[in-house]
Amino acid sequence: MSDLKALSPTELDLATLIVNTLTLEADPEDIDPDAPLYGEGLGLDSIDILEVALAVSKAYGVKLRADDENNTKIFSSLRTLNSHIQQLKAA
């Protein structure tokens, strides 16, 4: 049985990008992919989320819009953010 807390390769890449962008004192592989990015969990604030969105845009060539009504869901966890990025890349 697979470990649901284990990061997929794309999730690990994204976690590494987030840790490096925000200079977090965390190991990317230790980030729970289902933990909230905002507030509890990883503890990011709105400025952090903006920085992550910019880094994601540069690294993956996808556009994350500040006015997207689904941002709360998109940025709810590493796993949901990664899933959204993969969908945009595939489109």
Side-chain angles (χ1 to χ4, degrees):
M1 200 162 100
S2 68
D3 181 3
L4 290 177
K5 299 291 185 206
L7 297 172
S8 71
T10 56
E11 288 170 344
L12 182 57
D13 287 346
L14 179 58
T16 302
L17 177 71
I18 292 170
V19 167
N20 291 340
T21 298
L22 302 176
T23 57
L24 299 177
E25 293 192 16
D27 289 322
E29 54 275 353
D30 292 339
I31 295 175
D32 179 345
D34 294 311
L37 293 177
Y38 221 62
E40 297 289 320
L42 207 50
L44 305 186
D45 62 22
S46 57
I47 302 297
D48 294 331
I49 295 294
L50 287 172
E51 287 186 50
V52 167
L54 182 62
V56 164
S57 295
K58 286 181 180 176
Y60 296 102
V62 298
K63 190 96 172 123
L64 299 175
R65 295 189 356 251
D67 62 349
D68 190 322
E69 63 191 24
N70 296 315
N71 276 345
T72 303
K73 182 175 175 232
I74 292 166
F75 286 94
S76 64
S77 72
L78 180 72
R79 185 155 282 158
T80 58
L81 178 57
N82 182 63
S83 176
H84 183 71
I85 291 166
Q86 298 312 316
Q87 288 174 354
L88 289 174
K89 283 174 63 177

